[in-house]
Amino acid sequence: MQTYQKLGFEKKESQSIVHALNHLLANYQLYYHKLRGFHWNVEGRDFFELHEKFEEDYQAAHENIDRIAERIRIFGKKPVYRLAEYLEMAKIKEAKSGLAPEDMVRQIVDDMETLLGEMLGVVQAAEETGDTASIHLIMNMMQALEKRHWMFSAWLKKVPVASPQHN
């Protein structure tokens, strides 16, 4: 019977993974808070649709935040958790008040691209040390986020209004 062995990553090896995970965590926290704010404050004709979609996405973000933080703990480290640290570390910035629905979606699409870039950073750090568990975790998150990015990007496209046909 094979016994469980500790992860086996050296402190120096895990440092780059934990660093990348903490940066992803900080960005995800700002993304989550932005989605919550947009969910609460969206108005207009797209209210029902976007209110629901923002809620779906902030719930998914909440789950991913927990997964990222727990992955950091697996390495024996503590995830950053102070708002000041998130604001300092994150590339994603807070949203301004009073945005139109289209501007909200545009920001979410941009933030998704930032998150995807941060995820690639985690994957690269994990590949250097053979950390297949982190790679698997992040790749699953990436697949879901890429799909949401596609959907919100499609929502932003202007559909041409069909002109009435004369018989």
Side-chain angles (χ1 to χ4, degrees):
M1 172 186 251
Q2 191 172 12
T3 60
Y4 171 77
Q5 293 181 354
K6 194 172 177 179
L7 286 175
F9 295 107
E10 300 292 327
K11 184 177 181 178
K12 188 174 182 175
E13 289 176 325
S14 65
Q15 225 171 358
S16 64
I17 299 167
V18 170
H19 177 78
L21 285 167
N22 267 319
H23 278 267
L24 178 58
L25 178 64
N27 279 286
Y28 245 115
Q29 287 284 16
L30 267 85
Y31 175 71
Y32 169 81
H33 284 284
K34 190 180 287 189
L35 284 164
R36 290 292 302 243
F38 289 172
H39 167 76
W40 293 329
N41 294 298
V42 67
E43 294 178 330
R45 292 178 182 217
D46 300 313
F47 170 80
F48 290 106
E49 177 183 10
L50 290 178
H51 182 77
E52 183 178 313
K53 296 304 173 193
F54 290 152
E55 182 174 9
E56 288 172 11
D57 280 18
Y58 79 65
Q59 288 174 346
H62 184 265
E63 290 175 18
N64 286 344
I65 286 166
D66 198 49
R67 288 181 182 117
I68 295 163
E70 288 173 351
R71 187 71 191 153
I72 293 168
R73 292 297 294 157
I74 286 170
F75 286 103
K77 304 294 183 191
K78 292 189 178 178
V80 294
Y81 66 92
R82 293 178 52 246
L83 292 176
E85 289 175 298
Y86 295 149
L87 291 167
E88 184 180 317
M89 292 173 71
K91 293 177 183 175
I92 292 176
K93 301 301 174 198
E94 292 180 296
K96 294 183 179 170
S97 304
L99 293 176
E102 191 170 313
D103 294 326
M104 290 176 177
V105 173
R106 196 169 279 112
Q107 277 196 25
I108 292 304
V109 167
D110 290 345
D111 292 349
M112 287 174 170
E113 291 170 7
T114 299
L115 286 171
L116 288 165
E118 292 294 315
M119 288 175 178
L120 283 174
V122 173
V123 169
Q124 289 168 347
E127 283 177 339
E128 290 173 9
T129 58
D131 176 13
T132 56
S134 290
I135 293 168
H136 181 73
L137 173 74
I138 299 302
M139 294 303 286
N140 285 335
M141 289 181 194
M142 286 180 77
Q143 284 182 313
L145 193 62
E146 286 172 341
K147 184 174 181 179
R148 295 303 283 184
H149 179 275
W150 160 63
M151 290 177 170
F152 275 117
S153 295
W155 185 91
L156 282 171
K157 291 192 188 243
K158 299 286 185 206
V159 178
V161 178
S163 58
Q165 293 183 3
H166 298 284
N167 291 332

